[in-house]
Amino acid sequence: MAYGYDHDNLRHVVITSTCFAFVLSTTAVGFRIISRIINGSGLFLDDWLIIIGLIFEYGISIAGVVLLYNGLGTHIVELSPEQVAIYLKTLFTGSILYTGCIASIKLSILMLYRRLFPVKTMKYAVNIVSLIVIMWAACGILAGCFVCIPTEKLWHPMIEGGCMNLSKFYYGLQIPNIATDAIILLMPMHIVWNLPISKIQKLGLSGIFILGFLTLIFDIIRLVVLIKLSTQGEDITYNQVPASVWTCIEPAVGIVAACLSNMRPLFKVMHTKVWPRLPSPHATNASSPSDSHVKEKNGWLQQNHRSTGGGGNSPSPRGELNQSPTHNQSTV
């Protein structure tokens, strides 16, 4: 026991990351849909694909909750055989949900490219990369389903059969994932920098796409964590916490990166209609002395007006105020 928490129980780490990923991804897709409503354009194919990706992300989060209730974050020796069986069965769904989620995000971005950049070269590139992503997803899901033959050997290790090398499986799943992420991020750069817009706008558009490199970094981190996991021994319920965290966070960040370029209508409404209405404390403080000065000046003029019977020729230390254009006009 140190630093205020039990190092033999890492459940709090999984709970925090799951909640973070759930809120982040849901908020991003919600803002994207609101932006479509503001534009009145309806939902496009890329929007439906990102919604499918969000549903897969929910599946990953639900699987994480089931794993938590069956030992994730605690040592495997503390669990019953029934809990270990449920844990391994739930873990079996992880590669399917993760691969489906990542594939949906990638296809959503590619369909967005096809809609925003309707040129032949981009269409050909989108078709080729989309086919690669679909093939990668199909192979990843198939390999995940048959990581052990028979499949029951995954949660009943004593039965006859065999399982594939996990390190090779992780390399085969993540390296194409990283490569396609890099290709997808670089695809629109040439077109963006040849658009007839200002350099500031080009930098803004490029910046949105470059934010996707954060997902690429998380891909690499997840691969390193998974390879390390495959060599850490049999205490999987405890050792698997980092892998579980990155499996949940990486798709959520990918969903955010895919949605950012679609939120411009929402940002525009916020900038033009919401921010100007918010009170500024600096503006209030700056205007307070002048407001009190004006009120004091108006009160003095009204009192002086009553004392002189409404005349404008009485001597006054502020007599120049009575020579204003408005006063002269009223006396003509």
PDB file of all heavy atoms in Angstrom, residues 106 109-110 113 117 122 129 177-193 205-217 219 254 257-258:
ATOM      1  N   LYS A 106     -11.504   3.963 -39.698  1.00  0.00           N
ATOM      2  CA  LYS A 106     -10.700   4.171 -40.904  1.00  0.00           C
ATOM      3  C   LYS A 106     -11.593   4.365 -42.132  1.00  0.00           C
ATOM      4  O   LYS A 106     -11.359   5.265 -42.952  1.00  0.00           O
ATOM      5  CB  LYS A 106      -9.761   2.976 -41.121  1.00  0.00           C
ATOM      6  CG  LYS A 106      -8.657   2.818 -40.100  1.00  0.00           C
ATOM      7  CD  LYS A 106      -7.857   1.549 -40.388  1.00  0.00           C
ATOM      8  CE  LYS A 106      -6.872   1.219 -39.292  1.00  0.00           C
ATOM      9  NZ  LYS A 106      -5.722   2.121 -39.251  1.00  0.00           N
ATOM     10  N   ILE A 109     -13.194   7.817 -42.216  1.00  0.00           N
ATOM     11  CA  ILE A 109     -12.273   8.860 -42.689  1.00  0.00           C
ATOM     12  C   ILE A 109     -12.098   8.777 -44.199  1.00  0.00           C
ATOM     13  O   ILE A 109     -12.088   9.797 -44.900  1.00  0.00           O
ATOM     14  CB  ILE A 109     -10.918   8.730 -41.966  1.00  0.00           C
ATOM     15  CG1 ILE A 109     -11.095   8.972 -40.460  1.00  0.00           C
ATOM     16  CG2 ILE A 109      -9.910   9.712 -42.538  1.00  0.00           C
ATOM     17  CD1 ILE A 109      -9.852   8.684 -39.642  1.00  0.00           C
ATOM     18  N   LEU A 110     -11.988   7.568 -44.722  1.00  0.00           N
ATOM     19  CA  LEU A 110     -11.801   7.392 -46.170  1.00  0.00           C
ATOM     20  C   LEU A 110     -13.027   7.863 -46.948  1.00  0.00           C
ATOM     21  O   LEU A 110     -12.896   8.510 -48.004  1.00  0.00           O
ATOM     22  CB  LEU A 110     -11.503   5.925 -46.481  1.00  0.00           C
ATOM     23  CG  LEU A 110     -10.123   5.425 -46.021  1.00  0.00           C
ATOM     24  CD1 LEU A 110     -10.046   3.907 -46.093  1.00  0.00           C
ATOM     25  CD2 LEU A 110      -9.021   6.071 -46.862  1.00  0.00           C
ATOM     26  N   TYR A 113     -12.930  11.582 -47.108  1.00  0.00           N
ATOM     27  CA  TYR A 113     -12.010  12.027 -48.157  1.00  0.00           C
ATOM     28  C   TYR A 113     -12.680  11.969 -49.528  1.00  0.00           C
ATOM     29  O   TYR A 113     -12.561  12.900 -50.334  1.00  0.00           O
ATOM     30  CB  TYR A 113     -10.760  11.144 -48.187  1.00  0.00           C
ATOM     31  CG  TYR A 113      -9.813  11.336 -47.031  1.00  0.00           C
ATOM     32  CD1 TYR A 113      -8.735  10.469 -46.855  1.00  0.00           C
ATOM     33  CD2 TYR A 113      -9.984  12.364 -46.106  1.00  0.00           C
ATOM     34  CE1 TYR A 113      -7.853  10.618 -45.806  1.00  0.00           C
ATOM     35  CE2 TYR A 113      -9.110  12.519 -45.050  1.00  0.00           C
ATOM     36  CZ  TYR A 113      -8.043  11.651 -44.897  1.00  0.00           C
ATOM     37  OH  TYR A 113      -7.173  11.794 -43.861  1.00  0.00           O
ATOM     38  N   PHE A 117     -13.024  15.435 -51.437  1.00  0.00           N
ATOM     39  CA  PHE A 117     -12.063  15.594 -52.531  1.00  0.00           C
ATOM     40  C   PHE A 117     -12.475  14.713 -53.705  1.00  0.00           C
ATOM     41  O   PHE A 117     -11.885  13.650 -53.936  1.00  0.00           O
ATOM     42  CB  PHE A 117     -10.658  15.230 -52.056  1.00  0.00           C
ATOM     43  CG  PHE A 117     -10.247  15.893 -50.776  1.00  0.00           C
ATOM     44  CD1 PHE A 117     -10.024  15.132 -49.637  1.00  0.00           C
ATOM     45  CD2 PHE A 117     -10.100  17.263 -50.704  1.00  0.00           C
ATOM     46  CE1 PHE A 117      -9.654  15.728 -48.443  1.00  0.00           C
ATOM     47  CE2 PHE A 117      -9.725  17.873 -49.519  1.00  0.00           C
ATOM     48  CZ  PHE A 117      -9.507  17.116 -48.387  1.00  0.00           C
ATOM     49  N   MET A 122      -7.907  10.719 -55.866  1.00  0.00           N
ATOM     50  CA  MET A 122      -8.349  10.458 -54.501  1.00  0.00           C
ATOM     51  C   MET A 122      -9.337   9.294 -54.461  1.00  0.00           C
ATOM     52  O   MET A 122      -9.287   8.453 -53.551  1.00  0.00           O
ATOM     53  CB  MET A 122      -8.965  11.715 -53.892  1.00  0.00           C
ATOM     54  CG  MET A 122      -9.464  11.536 -52.462  1.00  0.00           C
ATOM     55  SD  MET A 122      -8.180  10.991 -51.306  1.00  0.00           S
ATOM     56  CE  MET A 122      -7.301  12.530 -51.032  1.00  0.00           C
ATOM     57  N   VAL A 129      -7.211   1.757 -50.513  1.00  0.00           N
ATOM     58  CA  VAL A 129      -6.956   1.696 -49.064  1.00  0.00           C
ATOM     59  C   VAL A 129      -8.159   1.104 -48.331  1.00  0.00           C
ATOM     60  O   VAL A 129      -7.996   0.354 -47.363  1.00  0.00           O
ATOM     61  CB  VAL A 129      -6.610   3.100 -48.521  1.00  0.00           C
ATOM     62  CG1 VAL A 129      -6.390   3.051 -47.014  1.00  0.00           C
ATOM     63  CG2 VAL A 129      -5.361   3.648 -49.208  1.00  0.00           C
ATOM     64  N   ASN A 177      -2.228  -2.134 -39.104  1.00  0.00           N
ATOM     65  CA  ASN A 177      -3.034  -1.053 -38.526  1.00  0.00           C
ATOM     66  C   ASN A 177      -2.249   0.249 -38.514  1.00  0.00           C
ATOM     67  O   ASN A 177      -2.756   1.312 -38.918  1.00  0.00           O
ATOM     68  CB  ASN A 177      -3.441  -1.451 -37.101  1.00  0.00           C
ATOM     69  CG  ASN A 177      -4.308  -0.406 -36.431  1.00  0.00           C
ATOM     70  OD1 ASN A 177      -4.987   0.378 -37.077  1.00  0.00           O
ATOM     71  ND2 ASN A 177      -4.268  -0.384 -35.111  1.00  0.00           N
ATOM     72  N   ILE A 178      -0.993   0.190 -38.073  1.00  0.00           N
ATOM     73  CA  ILE A 178      -0.142   1.380 -38.028  1.00  0.00           C
ATOM     74  C   ILE A 178       0.135   1.889 -39.439  1.00  0.00           C
ATOM     75  O   ILE A 178       0.076   3.099 -39.709  1.00  0.00           O
ATOM     76  CB  ILE A 178       1.176   1.058 -37.297  1.00  0.00           C
ATOM     77  CG1 ILE A 178       0.893   0.734 -35.829  1.00  0.00           C
ATOM     78  CG2 ILE A 178       2.160   2.208 -37.406  1.00  0.00           C
ATOM     79  CD1 ILE A 178       2.076   0.145 -35.079  1.00  0.00           C
ATOM     80  N   ALA A 179       0.418   0.973 -40.362  1.00  0.00           N
ATOM     81  CA  ALA A 179       0.740   1.374 -41.741  1.00  0.00           C
ATOM     82  C   ALA A 179      -0.444   2.062 -42.414  1.00  0.00           C
ATOM     83  O   ALA A 179      -0.286   3.113 -43.056  1.00  0.00           O
ATOM     84  CB  ALA A 179       1.166   0.148 -42.547  1.00  0.00           C
ATOM     85  N   THR A 180      -1.643   1.506 -42.271  1.00  0.00           N
ATOM     86  CA  THR A 180      -2.815   2.128 -42.905  1.00  0.00           C
ATOM     87  C   THR A 180      -3.159   3.466 -42.254  1.00  0.00           C
ATOM     88  O   THR A 180      -3.613   4.389 -42.932  1.00  0.00           O
ATOM     89  CB  THR A 180      -4.032   1.185 -42.836  1.00  0.00           C
ATOM     90  OG1 THR A 180      -4.210   0.713 -41.491  1.00  0.00           O
ATOM     91  CG2 THR A 180      -3.859   0.008 -43.773  1.00  0.00           C
ATOM     92  N   ASP A 181      -2.933   3.589 -40.943  1.00  0.00           N
ATOM     93  CA  ASP A 181      -3.142   4.883 -40.284  1.00  0.00           C
ATOM     94  C   ASP A 181      -2.232   5.950 -40.896  1.00  0.00           C
ATOM     95  O   ASP A 181      -2.665   7.077 -41.166  1.00  0.00           O
ATOM     96  CB  ASP A 181      -2.872   4.771 -38.779  1.00  0.00           C
ATOM     97  CG  ASP A 181      -4.125   4.425 -37.991  1.00  0.00           C
ATOM     98  OD1 ASP A 181      -5.218   4.453 -38.579  1.00  0.00           O
ATOM     99  OD2 ASP A 181      -4.015   4.123 -36.798  1.00  0.00           O
ATOM    100  N   ALA A 182      -0.966   5.603 -41.083  1.00  0.00           N
ATOM    101  CA  ALA A 182      -0.013   6.559 -41.656  1.00  0.00           C
ATOM    102  C   ALA A 182      -0.423   6.946 -43.079  1.00  0.00           C
ATOM    103  O   ALA A 182      -0.374   8.132 -43.451  1.00  0.00           O
ATOM    104  CB  ALA A 182       1.393   5.962 -41.645  1.00  0.00           C
ATOM    105  N   ILE A 183      -0.841   5.971 -43.877  1.00  0.00           N
ATOM    106  CA  ILE A 183      -1.260   6.259 -45.264  1.00  0.00           C
ATOM    107  C   ILE A 183      -2.487   7.161 -45.279  1.00  0.00           C
ATOM    108  O   ILE A 183      -2.554   8.143 -46.033  1.00  0.00           O
ATOM    109  CB  ILE A 183      -1.543   4.934 -46.012  1.00  0.00           C
ATOM    110  CG1 ILE A 183      -0.249   4.142 -46.199  1.00  0.00           C
ATOM    111  CG2 ILE A 183      -2.199   5.209 -47.365  1.00  0.00           C
ATOM    112  CD1 ILE A 183      -0.471   2.730 -46.707  1.00  0.00           C
ATOM    113  N   ILE A 184      -3.473   6.855 -44.431  1.00  0.00           N
ATOM    114  CA  ILE A 184      -4.715   7.632 -44.401  1.00  0.00           C
ATOM    115  C   ILE A 184      -4.445   9.080 -44.000  1.00  0.00           C
ATOM    116  O   ILE A 184      -5.045  10.015 -44.537  1.00  0.00           O
ATOM    117  CB  ILE A 184      -5.731   6.974 -43.445  1.00  0.00           C
ATOM    118  CG1 ILE A 184      -6.250   5.674 -44.055  1.00  0.00           C
ATOM    119  CG2 ILE A 184      -6.901   7.908 -43.148  1.00  0.00           C
ATOM    120  CD1 ILE A 184      -7.079   4.828 -43.106  1.00  0.00           C
ATOM    121  N   LEU A 185      -3.522   9.279 -43.066  1.00  0.00           N
ATOM    122  CA  LEU A 185      -3.221  10.636 -42.619  1.00  0.00           C
ATOM    123  C   LEU A 185      -2.492  11.451 -43.691  1.00  0.00           C
ATOM    124  O   LEU A 185      -2.675  12.666 -43.779  1.00  0.00           O
ATOM    125  CB  LEU A 185      -2.371  10.576 -41.348  1.00  0.00           C
ATOM    126  CG  LEU A 185      -3.106  10.120 -40.086  1.00  0.00           C
ATOM    127  CD1 LEU A 185      -2.121   9.851 -38.962  1.00  0.00           C
ATOM    128  CD2 LEU A 185      -4.122  11.164 -39.657  1.00  0.00           C
ATOM    129  N   LEU A 186      -1.685  10.776 -44.497  1.00  0.00           N
ATOM    130  CA  LEU A 186      -0.910  11.495 -45.517  1.00  0.00           C
ATOM    131  C   LEU A 186      -1.688  11.703 -46.819  1.00  0.00           C
ATOM    132  O   LEU A 186      -1.321  12.571 -47.620  1.00  0.00           O
ATOM    133  CB  LEU A 186       0.389  10.730 -45.814  1.00  0.00           C
ATOM    134  CG  LEU A 186       1.408  10.664 -44.665  1.00  0.00           C
ATOM    135  CD1 LEU A 186       2.569   9.764 -45.041  1.00  0.00           C
ATOM    136  CD2 LEU A 186       1.910  12.068 -44.308  1.00  0.00           C
ATOM    137  N   MET A 187      -2.726  10.930 -47.039  1.00  0.00           N
ATOM    138  CA  MET A 187      -3.451  10.976 -48.312  1.00  0.00           C
ATOM    139  C   MET A 187      -3.931  12.374 -48.727  1.00  0.00           C
ATOM    140  O   MET A 187      -3.758  12.769 -49.883  1.00  0.00           O
ATOM    141  CB  MET A 187      -4.638  10.002 -48.278  1.00  0.00           C
ATOM    142  CG  MET A 187      -4.257   8.562 -48.497  1.00  0.00           C
ATOM    143  SD  MET A 187      -5.650   7.427 -48.219  1.00  0.00           S
ATOM    144  CE  MET A 187      -6.794   7.947 -49.484  1.00  0.00           C
ATOM    145  N   PRO A 188      -4.551  13.165 -47.854  1.00  0.00           N
ATOM    146  CA  PRO A 188      -5.123  14.444 -48.313  1.00  0.00           C
ATOM    147  C   PRO A 188      -4.145  15.610 -48.318  1.00  0.00           C
ATOM    148  O   PRO A 188      -4.511  16.705 -48.754  1.00  0.00           O
ATOM    149  CB  PRO A 188      -6.230  14.698 -47.288  1.00  0.00           C
ATOM    150  CG  PRO A 188      -5.707  14.108 -46.041  1.00  0.00           C
ATOM    151  CD  PRO A 188      -4.896  12.901 -46.452  1.00  0.00           C
ATOM    152  N   MET A 189      -2.919  15.414 -47.842  1.00  0.00           N
ATOM    153  CA  MET A 189      -2.018  16.546 -47.672  1.00  0.00           C
ATOM    154  C   MET A 189      -1.718  17.262 -48.985  1.00  0.00           C
ATOM    155  O   MET A 189      -1.723  18.482 -49.067  1.00  0.00           O
ATOM    156  CB  MET A 189      -0.712  16.077 -47.016  1.00  0.00           C
ATOM    157  CG  MET A 189      -0.867  15.645 -45.570  1.00  0.00           C
ATOM    158  SD  MET A 189      -1.525  16.971 -44.533  1.00  0.00           S
ATOM    159  CE  MET A 189      -1.673  16.127 -42.970  1.00  0.00           C
ATOM    160  N   HIS A 190      -1.446  16.490 -50.038  1.00  0.00           N
ATOM    161  CA  HIS A 190      -1.097  17.099 -51.327  1.00  0.00           C
ATOM    162  C   HIS A 190      -2.257  17.923 -51.865  1.00  0.00           C
ATOM    163  O   HIS A 190      -2.076  19.048 -52.352  1.00  0.00           O
ATOM    164  CB  HIS A 190      -0.713  16.006 -52.324  1.00  0.00           C
ATOM    165  CG  HIS A 190      -0.403  16.522 -53.695  1.00  0.00           C
ATOM    166  ND1 HIS A 190       0.753  17.239 -53.981  1.00  0.00           N
ATOM    167  CD2 HIS A 190      -1.109  16.454 -54.867  1.00  0.00           C
ATOM    168  CE1 HIS A 190       0.742  17.578 -55.262  1.00  0.00           C
ATOM    169  NE2 HIS A 190      -0.367  17.109 -55.820  1.00  0.00           N
ATOM    170  N   ILE A 191      -3.475  17.399 -51.745  1.00  0.00           N
ATOM    171  CA  ILE A 191      -4.650  18.125 -52.251  1.00  0.00           C
ATOM    172  C   ILE A 191      -4.912  19.371 -51.424  1.00  0.00           C
ATOM    173  O   ILE A 191      -5.204  20.442 -51.968  1.00  0.00           O
ATOM    174  CB  ILE A 191      -5.886  17.197 -52.229  1.00  0.00           C
ATOM    175  CG1 ILE A 191      -5.678  16.030 -53.202  1.00  0.00           C
ATOM    176  CG2 ILE A 191      -7.152  17.965 -52.585  1.00  0.00           C
ATOM    177  CD1 ILE A 191      -6.802  15.030 -53.205  1.00  0.00           C
ATOM    178  N   VAL A 192      -4.786  19.253 -50.104  1.00  0.00           N
ATOM    179  CA  VAL A 192      -5.042  20.407 -49.225  1.00  0.00           C
ATOM    180  C   VAL A 192      -4.098  21.551 -49.558  1.00  0.00           C
ATOM    181  O   VAL A 192      -4.504  22.720 -49.660  1.00  0.00           O
ATOM    182  CB  VAL A 192      -4.911  19.987 -47.748  1.00  0.00           C
ATOM    183  CG1 VAL A 192      -4.851  21.214 -46.839  1.00  0.00           C
ATOM    184  CG2 VAL A 192      -6.082  19.103 -47.341  1.00  0.00           C
ATOM    185  N   TRP A 193      -2.824  21.245 -49.782  1.00  0.00           N
ATOM    186  CA  TRP A 193      -1.853  22.313 -50.028  1.00  0.00           C
ATOM    187  C   TRP A 193      -1.931  22.862 -51.449  1.00  0.00           C
ATOM    188  O   TRP A 193      -1.279  23.856 -51.761  1.00  0.00           O
ATOM    189  CB  TRP A 193      -0.446  21.807 -49.723  1.00  0.00           C
ATOM    190  CG  TRP A 193      -0.187  21.845 -48.254  1.00  0.00           C
ATOM    191  CD1 TRP A 193      -0.342  20.833 -47.365  1.00  0.00           C
ATOM    192  CD2 TRP A 193       0.223  22.975 -47.486  1.00  0.00           C
ATOM    193  NE1 TRP A 193      -0.060  21.251 -46.098  1.00  0.00           N
ATOM    194  CE2 TRP A 193       0.296  22.565 -46.140  1.00  0.00           C
ATOM    195  CE3 TRP A 193       0.544  24.300 -47.814  1.00  0.00           C
ATOM    196  CZ2 TRP A 193       0.671  23.430 -45.117  1.00  0.00           C
ATOM    197  CZ3 TRP A 193       0.920  25.158 -46.785  1.00  0.00           C
ATOM    198  CH2 TRP A 193       0.975  24.726 -45.454  1.00  0.00           C
ATOM    199  N   LEU A 205      -6.362  23.249 -41.893  1.00  0.00           N
ATOM    200  CA  LEU A 205      -6.829  21.952 -42.383  1.00  0.00           C
ATOM    201  C   LEU A 205      -5.788  20.860 -42.134  1.00  0.00           C
ATOM    202  O   LEU A 205      -6.115  19.765 -41.685  1.00  0.00           O
ATOM    203  CB  LEU A 205      -7.141  22.042 -43.882  1.00  0.00           C
ATOM    204  CG  LEU A 205      -8.411  22.814 -44.265  1.00  0.00           C
ATOM    205  CD1 LEU A 205      -8.473  23.005 -45.766  1.00  0.00           C
ATOM    206  CD2 LEU A 205      -9.651  22.080 -43.777  1.00  0.00           C
ATOM    207  N   SER A 206      -4.524  21.190 -42.409  1.00  0.00           N
ATOM    208  CA  SER A 206      -3.469  20.210 -42.192  1.00  0.00           C
ATOM    209  C   SER A 206      -3.358  19.866 -40.713  1.00  0.00           C
ATOM    210  O   SER A 206      -3.122  18.715 -40.342  1.00  0.00           O
ATOM    211  CB  SER A 206      -2.129  20.753 -42.699  1.00  0.00           C
ATOM    212  OG  SER A 206      -2.192  21.015 -44.080  1.00  0.00           O
ATOM    213  N   GLY A 207      -3.536  20.873 -39.851  1.00  0.00           N
ATOM    214  CA  GLY A 207      -3.461  20.637 -38.418  1.00  0.00           C
ATOM    215  C   GLY A 207      -4.508  19.661 -37.945  1.00  0.00           C
ATOM    216  O   GLY A 207      -4.248  18.809 -37.087  1.00  0.00           O
ATOM    217  N   ILE A 208      -5.727  19.757 -38.506  1.00  0.00           N
ATOM    218  CA  ILE A 208      -6.788  18.824 -38.135  1.00  0.00           C
ATOM    219  C   ILE A 208      -6.401  17.405 -38.506  1.00  0.00           C
ATOM    220  O   ILE A 208      -6.567  16.460 -37.727  1.00  0.00           O
ATOM    221  CB  ILE A 208      -8.109  19.222 -38.814  1.00  0.00           C
ATOM    222  CG1 ILE A 208      -8.640  20.536 -38.216  1.00  0.00           C
ATOM    223  CG2 ILE A 208      -9.162  18.123 -38.650  1.00  0.00           C
ATOM    224  CD1 ILE A 208      -9.832  21.092 -38.936  1.00  0.00           C
ATOM    225  N   PHE A 209      -5.841  17.237 -39.713  1.00  0.00           N
ATOM    226  CA  PHE A 209      -5.446  15.894 -40.138  1.00  0.00           C
ATOM    227  C   PHE A 209      -4.254  15.387 -39.311  1.00  0.00           C
ATOM    228  O   PHE A 209      -4.184  14.211 -38.966  1.00  0.00           O
ATOM    229  CB  PHE A 209      -5.091  15.887 -41.622  1.00  0.00           C
ATOM    230  CG  PHE A 209      -6.263  16.141 -42.523  1.00  0.00           C
ATOM    231  CD1 PHE A 209      -6.267  17.197 -43.418  1.00  0.00           C
ATOM    232  CD2 PHE A 209      -7.376  15.331 -42.480  1.00  0.00           C
ATOM    233  CE1 PHE A 209      -7.355  17.436 -44.253  1.00  0.00           C
ATOM    234  CE2 PHE A 209      -8.466  15.549 -43.302  1.00  0.00           C
ATOM    235  CZ  PHE A 209      -8.451  16.603 -44.194  1.00  0.00           C
ATOM    236  N   ILE A 210      -3.334  16.294 -38.999  1.00  0.00           N
ATOM    237  CA  ILE A 210      -2.142  15.876 -38.264  1.00  0.00           C
ATOM    238  C   ILE A 210      -2.491  15.434 -36.852  1.00  0.00           C
ATOM    239  O   ILE A 210      -1.778  14.620 -36.256  1.00  0.00           O
ATOM    240  CB  ILE A 210      -1.103  17.021 -38.252  1.00  0.00           C
ATOM    241  CG1 ILE A 210      -0.528  17.196 -39.664  1.00  0.00           C
ATOM    242  CG2 ILE A 210       0.028  16.754 -37.275  1.00  0.00           C
ATOM    243  CD1 ILE A 210       0.360  18.403 -39.832  1.00  0.00           C
ATOM    244  N   LEU A 211      -3.590  15.938 -36.309  1.00  0.00           N
ATOM    245  CA  LEU A 211      -4.021  15.479 -34.989  1.00  0.00           C
ATOM    246  C   LEU A 211      -4.240  13.969 -34.976  1.00  0.00           C
ATOM    247  O   LEU A 211      -4.129  13.330 -33.936  1.00  0.00           O
ATOM    248  CB  LEU A 211      -5.314  16.198 -34.572  1.00  0.00           C
ATOM    249  CG  LEU A 211      -5.171  17.651 -34.132  1.00  0.00           C
ATOM    250  CD1 LEU A 211      -6.538  18.260 -33.885  1.00  0.00           C
ATOM    251  CD2 LEU A 211      -4.308  17.769 -32.894  1.00  0.00           C
ATOM    252  N   GLY A 212      -4.533  13.424 -36.140  1.00  0.00           N
ATOM    253  CA  GLY A 212      -4.697  11.980 -36.228  1.00  0.00           C
ATOM    254  C   GLY A 212      -3.413  11.216 -35.952  1.00  0.00           C
ATOM    255  O   GLY A 212      -3.464  10.010 -35.690  1.00  0.00           O
ATOM    256  N   PHE A 213      -2.263  11.900 -36.025  1.00  0.00           N
ATOM    257  CA  PHE A 213      -1.010  11.229 -35.706  1.00  0.00           C
ATOM    258  C   PHE A 213      -0.964  10.801 -34.244  1.00  0.00           C
ATOM    259  O   PHE A 213      -0.196   9.902 -33.885  1.00  0.00           O
ATOM    260  CB  PHE A 213       0.184  12.146 -36.015  1.00  0.00           C
ATOM    261  CG  PHE A 213       0.625  12.080 -37.447  1.00  0.00           C
ATOM    262  CD1 PHE A 213       0.419  13.142 -38.293  1.00  0.00           C
ATOM    263  CD2 PHE A 213       1.240  10.942 -37.940  1.00  0.00           C
ATOM    264  CE1 PHE A 213       0.813  13.078 -39.615  1.00  0.00           C
ATOM    265  CE2 PHE A 213       1.644  10.869 -39.262  1.00  0.00           C
ATOM    266  CZ  PHE A 213       1.436  11.942 -40.109  1.00  0.00           C
ATOM    267  N   LEU A 214      -1.784  11.428 -33.407  1.00  0.00           N
ATOM    268  CA  LEU A 214      -1.881  10.992 -32.020  1.00  0.00           C
ATOM    269  C   LEU A 214      -2.383   9.555 -31.953  1.00  0.00           C
ATOM    270  O   LEU A 214      -1.901   8.752 -31.145  1.00  0.00           O
ATOM    271  CB  LEU A 214      -2.821  11.920 -31.248  1.00  0.00           C
ATOM    272  CG  LEU A 214      -2.937  11.688 -29.741  1.00  0.00           C
ATOM    273  CD1 LEU A 214      -1.587  11.884 -29.069  1.00  0.00           C
ATOM    274  CD2 LEU A 214      -3.966  12.638 -29.135  1.00  0.00           C
ATOM    275  N   THR A 215      -3.346   9.230 -32.810  1.00  0.00           N
ATOM    276  CA  THR A 215      -3.829   7.848 -32.879  1.00  0.00           C
ATOM    277  C   THR A 215      -2.715   6.912 -33.326  1.00  0.00           C
ATOM    278  O   THR A 215      -2.594   5.783 -32.819  1.00  0.00           O
ATOM    279  CB  THR A 215      -5.009   7.754 -33.857  1.00  0.00           C
ATOM    280  OG1 THR A 215      -5.995   8.718 -33.495  1.00  0.00           O
ATOM    281  CG2 THR A 215      -5.633   6.370 -33.842  1.00  0.00           C
ATOM    282  N   LEU A 216      -1.907   7.375 -34.273  1.00  0.00           N
ATOM    283  CA  LEU A 216      -0.791   6.561 -34.760  1.00  0.00           C
ATOM    284  C   LEU A 216       0.189   6.266 -33.624  1.00  0.00           C
ATOM    285  O   LEU A 216       0.681   5.141 -33.485  1.00  0.00           O
ATOM    286  CB  LEU A 216      -0.084   7.289 -35.902  1.00  0.00           C
ATOM    287  CG  LEU A 216       1.039   6.557 -36.626  1.00  0.00           C
ATOM    288  CD1 LEU A 216       0.520   5.300 -37.288  1.00  0.00           C
ATOM    289  CD2 LEU A 216       1.687   7.475 -37.652  1.00  0.00           C
ATOM    290  N   ILE A 217       0.457   7.268 -32.799  1.00  0.00           N
ATOM    291  CA  ILE A 217       1.349   7.074 -31.652  1.00  0.00           C
ATOM    292  C   ILE A 217       0.756   6.054 -30.688  1.00  0.00           C
ATOM    293  O   ILE A 217       1.456   5.171 -30.175  1.00  0.00           O
ATOM    294  CB  ILE A 217       1.603   8.422 -30.946  1.00  0.00           C
ATOM    295  CG1 ILE A 217       2.384   9.362 -31.878  1.00  0.00           C
ATOM    296  CG2 ILE A 217       2.360   8.217 -29.639  1.00  0.00           C
ATOM    297  CD1 ILE A 217       2.496  10.776 -31.360  1.00  0.00           C
ATOM    298  N   ASP A 219      -1.278   3.668 -31.458  1.00  0.00           N
ATOM    299  CA  ASP A 219      -1.145   2.347 -32.101  1.00  0.00           C
ATOM    300  C   ASP A 219       0.182   1.702 -31.727  1.00  0.00           C
ATOM    301  O   ASP A 219       0.247   0.512 -31.380  1.00  0.00           O
ATOM    302  CB  ASP A 219      -1.224   2.478 -33.621  1.00  0.00           C
ATOM    303  CG  ASP A 219      -2.621   2.795 -34.114  1.00  0.00           C
ATOM    304  OD1 ASP A 219      -3.568   2.590 -33.337  1.00  0.00           O
ATOM    305  OD2 ASP A 219      -2.762   3.259 -35.259  1.00  0.00           O
ATOM    306  N   GLY A 254      -9.155   7.866 -31.778  1.00  0.00           N
ATOM    307  CA  GLY A 254      -9.360   7.786 -33.222  1.00  0.00           C
ATOM    308  C   GLY A 254     -10.712   8.354 -33.626  1.00  0.00           C
ATOM    309  O   GLY A 254     -10.823   9.043 -34.656  1.00  0.00           O
ATOM    310  N   ALA A 257     -10.418  12.156 -33.482  1.00  0.00           N
ATOM    311  CA  ALA A 257      -9.650  12.658 -34.625  1.00  0.00           C
ATOM    312  C   ALA A 257     -10.480  12.623 -35.903  1.00  0.00           C
ATOM    313  O   ALA A 257     -10.393  13.527 -36.738  1.00  0.00           O
ATOM    314  CB  ALA A 257      -8.382  11.820 -34.799  1.00  0.00           C
ATOM    315  N   ALA A 258     -11.317  11.588 -36.061  1.00  0.00           N
ATOM    316  CA  ALA A 258     -12.155  11.482 -37.254  1.00  0.00           C
ATOM    317  C   ALA A 258     -13.280  12.508 -37.258  1.00  0.00           C
ATOM    318  O   ALA A 258     -13.774  12.884 -38.323  1.00  0.00           O
ATOM    319  CB  ALA A 258     -12.735  10.077 -37.358  1.00  0.00           C
TER     320      ALA A 258
END
